[in-house]
């Protein structure tokens, strides 16, 4: 009993010290991203030498030349002032911004009146962004609106600074005028966003994640759903099944790559893959906080999960689908492999598949053995219970080609919004939240499909029939106004 009291007192002192250190760190507002003191022996800056240097690259020669300038020899040698003898000419290229004033168009809009009903009508050019005339007859062009939308919604530049940037480019505009123009762009993007939702529902695998958001100072949730080359964002009031189902649909039957949040399990028609990185991080934290034998369970969990990842890496050629494999680290970040994996010889594939099946069977047996344990430490009990709930969703990435072991795709998609949230907190109105989610979805999807977002947003303002953008590759039923 005395030994137990001494252990508890020592743990109490240790935890109090950690709490005090965390509180002090939270008050250091001058360096919010500081990670502590620099290491005593930091690594040498720059790239590694030799074979570890990586891919060598240089700035490519431009595809066109707009201006050619002859650069002659100096009058004399800069070293000794002697006479110079010409030898040859070499080329140097330079790309720069051509500073020109904004392009101003004047539309001579014809107006008329119906001889039958007497209603007035007016013409509309495809480059016009509004039908307004009179006091509101001075508008912002579609490309300027597209640039403003990208700067604000993707890069997080505040609207006031966006207006300053456009003024530097020769377009005089106020933040309020930009807000209204971007709102009209979001309305034009609405059919494309609806098509993106249908495309996510039709995806074979979808990675999902959610984080906190603010609308008018009230708590909201920002959801992200990353499917097959499409991404949909949703700003909703809740963090439950109903909000996720509003995008995925109640009958989603693909593979859902997600963390351990319980509402995801309610998609009963879907197959699931729980995020291995979250479990590894949880096990690591428990090991750091454990005393004596309390670390046995999290150690066993970590070894098992790392073993599963090693099996995946060993059979990567069999498990590779239409997406690149993910790499586990503390933040679920994908790291691409410079060396492409070569497929196994065709005649060896049956044997490789049999070996993979045996490894999966071994891992499942070890999972069952681990879940059957009855630890006395409450955190270990909670971890075992969580593994039991996720039992059928731990190894989907080993049984279904193309499925990721983590939800890194959703983590990466949500990261730019989190960075922007640090700058301006969220949205001021519900309308602003709708604009935010629509334009973020379109811009992110354009990046995935290697489409210029400026050209795409400009084209949306040119669509008179309010149809989904033809510049994106979407399933046929997603672009059909009659639906699937």
């Amino acid at each position: 009993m005395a030994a137990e009291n001494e252990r508890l007192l020592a743990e109490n002192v240790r935890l109090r010290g950690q709490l005090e250190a965390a509180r002090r760190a939270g008050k250091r507002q001058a360096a919010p991203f500081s990670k502590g003191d620099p290491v005593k022996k930091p690594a040498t800056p720059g790239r590694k030498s030799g074979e570890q240097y990586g891919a060598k690259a240089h700035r490519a020669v431009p595809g066109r030349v707009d201006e050619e300038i002859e650069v002659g020899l100096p009058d004399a040698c800069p070293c000794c002032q002697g006479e110079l003898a010409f030898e040859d000419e070499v080329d140097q290229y330079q790309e720069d911004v051509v500073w020109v004033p904004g392009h101003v168009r004047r539309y001579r809009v014809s107006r008329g009146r119906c001889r039958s009903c007497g209603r007035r009508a007016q013409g509309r050019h495809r480059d016009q962004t509004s039908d307004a005339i009179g006091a509101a007859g001075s508008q912002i062009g579609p490309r300027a609106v597209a640039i403003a939308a990208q700067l604000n919604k993707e890069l997080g530049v505040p609207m006031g600074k966006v207006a300053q940037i456009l003024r530097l480019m020769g377009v005089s505009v106020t933040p309020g005028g930009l807000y209204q123009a971007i709102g009209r762009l979001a309305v034009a993007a609405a059919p494309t966003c609806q098509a993106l939702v249908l495309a996510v529902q039709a995806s074979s695998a979808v990675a999902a994640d959610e984080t906190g958001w603010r609308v008018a100072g009230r708590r909201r949730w920002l959801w992200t759903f990353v499917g097959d080359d499409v991404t949909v964002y949703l700003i909703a009031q809740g963090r439950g099944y109903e909000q996720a189902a509003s995008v995925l649909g109640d009958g989603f039957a693909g593979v859902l790559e997600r963390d351990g949040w319980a509402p995801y399990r309610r998609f009963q028609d879907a197959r699931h893959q729980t995020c291995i990185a979250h479990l590894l991080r949880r096990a690591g934290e428990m090991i750091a906080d454990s005393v004596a034998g309390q670390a046995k369970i999290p150690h066993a969990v970590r070894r098992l999960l790392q073993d599963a990842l090693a099996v995946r890496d060993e059979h990567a050629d069999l498990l590779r689908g239409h997406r690149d494999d993910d790499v586990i680290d503390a933040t679920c970040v994908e790291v691409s492999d410079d060396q492409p994996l070569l497929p196994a010889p065709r005649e060896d594939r049956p044997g490789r598949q049999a070996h993979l099946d045996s490894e999966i069977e071994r891992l499942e047996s070890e999972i069952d053995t681990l879940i059957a344990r009855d630890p006395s430490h409450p955190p270990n009990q909670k971890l075992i219970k969580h593994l039991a709930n996720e039992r059928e969703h731990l190894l989907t990435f080993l049984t279904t080609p193309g499925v990721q072991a983590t939800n890194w795709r959703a983590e990466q998609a949500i990261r730019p919004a989190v960075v922007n949230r640090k700058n301006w907190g969220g949205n001021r109105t519900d309308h602003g939240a709708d604009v935010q989610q629509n334009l973020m979805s379109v811009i992110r999807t354009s990046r995935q499909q290697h489409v210029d977002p400026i050209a795409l947003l400009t084209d949306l303002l040119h669509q008179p029939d309010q149809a989904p953008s033809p510049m994106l590759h979407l399933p046929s039923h997603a672009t059909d106004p009659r639906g699937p």
Side-chain angles (χ1 to χ4, degrees), residues 221-236:
W221 294 93
L222 173 67
W223 294 76
T224 182
F225 303 89
V226 183
D228 299 339
D229 292 330
V230 292
T231 296
V232 170
Y233 293 92
L234 172 68
I235 299 175

Side-chain angles (χ1 to χ4, degrees), residues 22 26 46 56 82 114 152 171 173 176 183 207 252 277 308 343 345 347 378 409 429 435:
K56 295 180 174 62
C114 178
N152 180 250
V171 179
V173 63
F252 177 70
E347 62 274 8
R409 297 186 298 150
T429 63
V435 172

Side-chain angles (χ1 to χ4, degrees), residues 267-284:
F267 289 94
Q268 299 180 358
D269 295 332
R271 299 182 64 193
H272 295 256
Q273 172 59 58
T274 189
C275 180
I276 300 299
H278 281 76
L279 291 174
L280 285 173
R281 188 158 54 246
R282 179 175 177 178

Side-chain angles (χ1 to χ4, degrees), residues 59-291:
R59 186 174 180 82
V61 174
R64 71 177 193 278
V65 175
D66 301 313
E67 181 183 9
E68 188 166 312
I69 300 176
E70 296 289 340
V71 181
L73 284 171
D75 296 334
C77 174
C79 178
C80 66
Q81 301 302 312
E83 184 180 358
L84 296 174
F86 176 82
E87 293 183 352
D88 61 1
E89 287 184 331
V90 293
D91 294 328
Q92 182 193 69
Y93 299 88
Q94 183 184 87
E95 289 185 278
D96 200 356
V97 176
V98 179
W99 204 257
V100 296
H103 187 72
V104 180
R105 303 184 187 95
R106 181 173 65 179
Y107 296 96
R108 301 295 295 170
V109 182
S110 298
R111 299 191 296 173
R113 194 178 298 275
C114 178
R115 298 182 185 274
S116 300
C117 66
R119 185 173 181 177
R120 172 171 283 185
Q122 68 183 50
R124 174 73 180 262
H125 189 273
R126 67 183 304 271
D127 288 337
Q128 287 180 264
T129 57
S130 172
D131 289 325
I133 55 177
S138 181
Q139 299 290 326
I140 309 170
R143 187 169 179 82
V145 175
I147 292 173
Q150 184 191 12
L151 289 173
N152 180 250
K153 304 307 178 186
E154 182 185 30
L155 304 181
V157 182
M159 203 70 78
K161 293 184 178 180
V162 173
Q164 294 183 34
I165 293 172
L166 290 181
R167 281 197 289 271
L168 291 175
M169 299 171 67
V171 179
S172 179
V173 63
T174 64
L178 278 180
Y179 180 85
Q180 295 178 1
I182 292 177
R184 291 193 293 270
L185 174 59
V187 172
T192 302
C193 293
Q194 295 171 4
L196 295 181
V197 171
L198 296 177
V200 165
Q201 295 175 0
S203 297
S204 58
V206 174
D209 198 12
E210 73 289 331
T211 187
W213 198 255
R214 291 281 178 176
V215 176
R218 296 180 177 85
R219 182 158 194 166
R220 296 292 185 268
W221 294 93
L222 173 67
W223 294 76
T224 182
F225 303 89
V226 183
D228 299 339
D229 292 330
V230 292
T231 296
V232 170
Y233 293 92
L234 172 68
I235 299 175
Q237 294 187 2
R239 193 192 177 193
Y241 169 79
E242 292 75 14
Q243 287 75 34
S246 67
V247 175
L248 291 175
D250 294 322
F252 177 70
V255 179
L256 189 56
E257 302 162 357
R258 42 64 171 189
D259 55 25
W261 184 232
Y264 289 123
R265 301 193 196 109
R266 294 181 59 182
F267 289 94
Q268 299 180 358
D269 295 332
R271 299 182 64 193
H272 295 256
Q273 172 59 58
T274 189
C275 180
I276 300 299
H278 281 76
L279 291 174
L280 285 173
R281 188 158 54 246
R282 179 175 177 178
E285 293 171 353
M286 291 180 63
I287 291 172
D289 295 337
S290 297
V291 177

Side-chain angles (χ1 to χ4, degrees), residues 18 143 156 160 195 222 224 250 256 307 315-316 336 342 357 381 397 413 417 433 464:
Q18 292 180 356
R143 187 169 179 82
L222 173 67
T224 182
D250 294 322
L256 189 56
D307 194 7
H315 299 85
S336 60
L342 299 178
D357 293 339
Q381 293 175 352
F397 70 100

